[in-house]
Amino acid sequence: MSLHVEHLAKDYPTRSGALTVLRDVSLDLERGESAAIMGPSGSGKSTLLHLLGTLDRPTRGEVRLEGRDPFALTERQLADFRNRHIGFVFQDHHLLPQCSVFENVLIPTLVAREDREAMKAWARQLLDRVGLSDRLDHRPAELSGGERQRVAVARALIHRPILLLADEPTGNLDRRTAASIGKLLLELHREERNILLVVTHSAELAELFPRNWTMDDGCLQALSSSPETRIRSGLS
Ligand SMILES: Nc1ncnc2c1ncn2[C@@H]1O[C@H](COP(=O)(O)OP(=O)(O)OP(=O)(O)O)[C@@H](O)[C@H]1O
Ligand SMILES: [Mg+2]
């Protein structure tokens, strides 16, 4: 029950040659564990989340989720694996404007043959959990920014993912709303016992997490020297 990342690297091809964004990232997280990743703009935080979310392929290194190498799957199997086991919350919520709050949360369930009624019941429960029971029929444009992010959090959890990835989930929100979304993410993470990785520029949000890592020169460094910090530098 874990996320295992070993010597992960990512180069992007550019007109002036290969650009190395991630040099050597290794980490281990078990179910029920979480970490916040900070670091300057352009340091590769989103790139790392994209690789862990299997939205992009690494140049080198390996990712194992629940002992499985997702990149060994065919594109179709990978899409199914991602849909079932990985939840995303982005800074820009990516909600579908023409769909209601309720429909947006159910979108990930449309591709698979699943028990519709059970999914609807769980979607209602999740929306209740994020405090939006009285907004089910609203379109995203009829919500506040914080409410949209809460819909995105509910949608990310519809398949009870093993891995929940959030890329600056509170980036566009005022401090108070940001703190409440951060706390909500952590609460739901604890209830669901998933693995939660959050990228943030907010030290306030990062402080809520037991582990703080920073992206520096293409490698992850642990900010605290707490014994539970299980991050392996490229040299170890
Ligand atoms: N498809 C791409 N092709 C070439 N270079 C890319 C590509 N995507 C990202 N980069 C470069 O990789 C670097 C890391 O980008 P990334 O989006 O991971 O940064 P970040 O740490 O998330 O920054 P921010 O805090 O601003 O979101 C940047 O310098 C960016 O220009
Ligand atoms: Mg980014």
Side-chain angles (χ1 to χ4, degrees), residues 101-229:
V101 162
F102 188 55
E103 288 162 348
N104 264 287
V105 172
L106 282 167
I107 281 165
T109 70
L110 295 180
V111 287
R113 272 171 286 151
E114 292 172 71
D115 183 340
R116 303 297 314 146
E117 287 315 308
M119 281 296 153
K120 283 183 183 173
W122 174 226
R124 275 200 194 88
Q125 226 175 303
L126 275 170
L127 282 163
D128 184 40
R129 193 60 195 72
V130 302
L132 290 174
S133 291
D134 54 354
R135 294 285 187 279
L136 298 190
D137 298 326
H138 283 231
R139 306 271 175 265
E142 300 158 353
L143 297 172
S144 73
E147 287 170 344
R148 276 180 219 134
Q149 275 313 62
R150 285 189 268 152
V151 180
V153 169
R155 182 188 50 187
L157 289 167
I158 190 75
H159 277 139
R160 305 195 121 105
I162 305 157
L163 180 59
L164 183 56
L165 300 169
D167 196 352
E168 296 186 48
T170 65
N172 290 327
L173 305 172
D174 65 87
R175 276 175 64 189
R176 204 151 136 204
T177 312
S180 78
I181 300 278
K183 284 185 183 137
L184 181 64
L185 265 173
L186 271 165
E187 271 169 34
L188 288 163
H189 147 72
R190 288 187 186 120
E191 284 166 26
E192 292 288 310
R193 284 192 53 75
N194 52 31
I195 296 166
L196 172 62
L197 262 176
V198 171
V199 165
T200 182
H201 286 289
S202 158
E204 232 170 322
L205 178 62
E207 260 174 28
L208 300 173
F209 286 76
R211 293 170 196 76
N212 278 197
W213 297 339
T214 180
M215 188 64 86
D216 185 22
D217 194 27
C219 300
L220 268 189
Q221 313 283 350
L223 272 185
S224 70
S225 54
S226 107
E228 17 164 32
T229 302

Side-chain angles (χ1 to χ4, degrees), residues 12-14 19 21 40-47 168 201:
Y12 285 117
T14 67
L19 171 71
V21 175
S41 177
S43 60
K45 305 178 300 295
S46 295
T47 300
E168 296 186 48
H201 286 289

Side-chain angles (χ1 to χ4, degrees), residues 3-5 8 22 27 37 45-58 63-65 69-71 73 75 77-90 161-167 195 197 199:
L3 170 67
H4 175 77
V5 176
L8 200 67
L22 298 181
L27 63 93
I37 299 175
K45 305 178 300 295
S46 295
T47 300
L48 175 63
L49 251 53
H50 275 82
L51 296 182
L52 300 183
T54 73
L55 293 168
D56 198 4
R57 282 172 188 271
V63 175
R64 292 259 186 285
L65 191 58
D69 173 6
F71 298 111
L73 300 170
E75 279 303 324
Q77 289 170 328
L78 183 61
D80 184 55
F81 178 88
R82 186 188 306 126
N83 183 24
R84 279 178 185 283
H85 300 304
I86 305 174
F88 295 94
V89 183
F90 298 100
I162 305 157
L163 180 59
L164 183 56
L165 300 169
D167 196 352
I195 296 166
L197 262 176
V199 165

